[in-house]
Amino acid sequence: MDRTPGNDGKQARRRGTELESAILDAAWEQLTAEGYEHFTVDTVAARARTSKPVLYRRWKTREDLLRAAVRHRGAADPPAIPDTGTLRGDLLALLACANTDRNPMAALVSSMLGSYYNRTGPTPAELREMFLGQRGSAVEQVLNRAVERGEADQDRLTPRIIDLPFDLFRHEMMMTLKPVPDHVLRQIVDDIFIPLVNTQPPAR
């Protein structure tokens, strides 16, 4: 049984999807607020105002709970796909959108860089895949439009090249745990990525 105080002071019972969403929201808050070291079934249950048995009926271990919380948060935060009319504009808009202290992926990575990082469990790459889920790559959608406009060469768009802008962005972010400077974003797009996919020099 799960109960939480209602607006009238009485105990309101939460069930099914409502209860699961509340627990996963609390799990994400616990993870990003206090890190993996303090991410336990006890702390999540307390934050969600429910009991440990309620959690254990759904997730056998805290790693199972972690994976579910990451997937839940990723599904709740789909990216907006920019359409500026150019590949350069779209990529810079995507990077700028991710380049914020409120970036959920940045919060997730930061929370995992404590004692847990050197122990067993999901790697940052695995957590990224969980976070993104099945929603697809925003970069791929931007590049598909660039190919249609003749800005990018389809034959050059290997999986590694497609991932390159955000691989470089994540590297910068993980090294500093701060937003990436705008001039670095422009360097990633203008000096590294566009020359790889387009023989024409980028407009400045």
Side-chain angles (χ1 to χ4, degrees):
M1 182 180 296
D2 175 89
R3 294 181 182 274
T4 188
N7 294 332
D8 58 1
K10 296 180 179 180
Q11 297 292 312
R13 182 179 297 178
R14 298 175 296 180
R15 295 189 178 91
T17 302
E18 178 188 3
L19 172 58
E20 187 165 310
S21 292
I23 294 171
L24 293 177
D25 287 341
W28 176 266
E29 292 168 4
Q30 178 65 28
L31 178 65
T32 55
E34 299 190 36
Y36 186 81
E37 185 176 359
H38 301 287
F39 182 85
T40 67
V41 172
D42 292 85
T43 58
V44 172
R47 189 177 284 265
R49 298 183 179 181
T50 189
S51 65
K52 290 196 295 182
V54 170
L55 273 67
Y56 278 123
R57 283 199 293 270
R58 291 165 172 79
W59 305 283
K60 294 181 180 180
T61 67
R62 71 167 178 168
E63 284 74 23
D64 291 339
L65 177 58
L66 168 67
R67 289 178 169 86
V70 171
R71 292 190 186 99
H72 176 74
R73 185 63 178 84
D77 191 45
I81 308 299
D83 189 3
T84 66
T86 68
L87 172 59
R88 180 178 187 271
D90 288 349
L91 286 174
L92 286 172
L94 279 176
L95 289 170
C97 182
N99 193 34
T100 169
D101 288 326
R102 296 190 299 275
N103 180 352
M105 194 64 206
L108 176 60
V109 170
S110 296
S111 73
M112 302 303 289
L113 287 178
S115 60
Y116 173 65
Y117 186 72
N118 293 319
R119 300 178 184 176
T120 59
T123 65
E126 291 170 335
L127 290 171
R128 173 180 177 269
E129 292 305 312
M130 289 179 229
F131 183 84
L132 293 176
Q134 302 299 315
R135 71 192 191 196
S137 167
V139 173
E140 289 183 12
Q141 296 182 52
V142 163
L143 286 172
N144 287 338
R145 289 201 299 261
V147 169
E148 293 174 359
R149 290 192 297 261
E151 291 184 274
D153 183 349
Q154 180 69 63
D155 293 336
R156 298 187 180 191
L157 298 178
T158 64
R160 179 67 69 184
I161 294 297
I162 291 172
D163 289 341
L164 183 61
F166 273 88
D167 284 346
L168 294 173
F169 170 77
R170 281 187 291 271
H171 172 77
E172 293 284 341
M173 183 182 68
M174 289 180 66
M175 292 301 99
T176 64
L177 299 181
K178 296 178 181 179
V180 180
D182 288 344
H183 76 274
V184 176
L185 299 183
R186 291 192 293 270
Q187 288 170 354
I188 290 172
V189 173
D190 292 340
D191 300 339
I192 300 173
F193 185 72
I194 288 183
L196 288 176
V197 301
N198 188 353
T199 57
Q200 299 299 318
R204 296 284 184 168

